[in-house]
Amino acid sequence: MTLLWILEDDDRLCDLLVASCAELGWKLAAFPTPRRLEQALDTSTPDLLLLDQMLPGKPGTDVLTWLRRHGYGFPVLMLSALGAPSDRIAGLEAGADDYMAKPFLFRELQLRVEALLRRNVACPDLATTSSTGYQIGAVRFDPARRRLVGRTGIPVPISRGDTALLLALCRRPGEPVSREVLARSSGSLVDPGRSRTIDMRLSRLRRQLVALGDGEEMVQALRGQGYRLQVPVVPFPLEEA
């Protein structure tokens, strides 16, 4: 399932978009403030973010600058009632991948999101390339559906990028996997020798696994070597979706 987030203070617009995205099989999570978005980033990342420019107290371009400065590379589509060329240029210069003026047709938004997801090389579509799931300690990992299931039995969706990172570790259980290999596996265009993006993503993923696994630390950081899974990893065949 495609995981989208939106940072938007217009509740009515969010409700409409959540319902429309659900009809496409997309999950859209809405956040009313930058602070709520930052808190969510502690445990997960989206496949794409819809970002309103005219937020109360802080413009969307400031939020976007913060995201890029902290290493978040997921695609961002800015939404704004400001549609002048200078406004679009400001959004793109801040790091947006696309810019749409309000009001807009949902069909156009859909096509733009699909185009950005195709262009985003965060990872391949694992739903068509992986027929194997993994039991990682107490957590069940389904890369085809991009989700984790802990002891509660409730599926937790994860992004394409996080799925690619965890899959790379599962395919070499107990062995160190270098940051360079992890970067290539996730399709990152960022040089891991010059950026901490991979480490930040692994840090969030590690916290998520710990929470789902009742406090068990599953991913170990190895200085100068990368990361490895330090709990038993048992592959199992996935059922057809």
Side-chain angles (χ1 to χ4, degrees):
M1 176 181 290
T2 298
L3 179 61
L4 308 180
W5 288 3
I6 182 170
L7 177 55
E8 168 66 71
D9 64 321
D10 185 335
D11 293 338
R12 182 173 177 274
L13 175 60
C14 287
D15 290 343
L16 289 172
L17 291 178
V18 167
S20 297
C21 286
E23 293 179 0
L24 298 175
W26 297 348
K27 179 178 176 58
L28 177 65
F31 302 92
T33 65
R35 179 57 182 159
R36 294 279 293 277
L37 178 75
E38 292 174 17
Q39 290 172 340
L41 286 169
D42 286 338
T43 57
S44 183
T45 56
D47 294 319
L48 181 144
L49 171 67
L50 302 174
L51 175 60
D52 182 33
Q53 165 63 359
M54 300 181 67
L55 296 166
K58 178 183 289 189
T61 46
D62 285 0
V63 175
L64 183 51
T65 299
W66 181 90
L67 289 170
R68 297 309 191 217
R69 188 171 64 245
H70 285 77
Y72 296 102
F74 46 76
V76 174
L77 171 53
M78 291 202 72
L79 308 174
S80 177
L82 304 175
S86 59
D87 298 313
R88 294 197 297 270
I89 290 172
L92 295 171
E93 286 181 337
D97 297 273
D98 200 356
Y99 191 106
M100 282 188 69
K102 299 177 182 178
F104 52 81
L105 297 175
F106 179 76
R107 176 59 175 164
E108 181 182 0
L109 177 69
Q110 174 191 344
L111 292 173
R112 287 176 181 261
V113 167
E114 290 174 345
L116 288 174
L117 292 175
R118 285 195 301 269
R119 282 161 42 190
N120 180 32
V121 293
C123 80
D125 187 355
L126 295 169
T128 62
T129 61
S130 179
S131 60
T132 302
Y134 298 88
Q135 185 71 39
I136 310 169
V139 177
R140 191 175 179 91
F141 171 42
D142 183 341
R145 297 172 179 83
R146 301 205 309 275
R147 66 188 185 187
L148 302 171
V149 181
R151 296 188 187 279
T152 64
I154 300 174
V156 177
I158 58 176
S159 70
R160 283 184 173 87
D162 288 348
T163 299
L165 290 174
L166 190 53
L167 187 57
L169 292 169
C170 285
R171 286 174 170 168
R172 294 172 59 181
E175 300 178 16
V177 182
S178 71
R179 296 168 71 244
E180 290 76 18
V181 169
L182 290 169
R184 289 197 301 271
S185 298
S186 65
S188 175
L189 300 179
V190 178
D191 180 0
R194 299 186 177 186
S195 170
R196 307 302 295 179
T197 301
I198 292 296
D199 302 284
M200 294 173 66
R201 288 170 64 178
L202 257 299
S203 178
R204 292 191 300 273
L205 185 58
R206 290 170 72 187
R207 289 196 297 270
Q208 191 169 32
L209 289 169
V210 166
L212 291 171
D214 292 340
E216 184 178 20
E217 183 64 64
M218 302 184 188
V219 180
Q220 180 185 20
L222 302 171
R223 185 176 181 85
Q225 299 182 61
Y227 296 85
R228 76 177 183 95
L229 287 169
Q230 61 179 1
V231 295
V233 177
V234 181
F236 60 86
L238 290 173
E239 299 177 358
E240 293 186 6

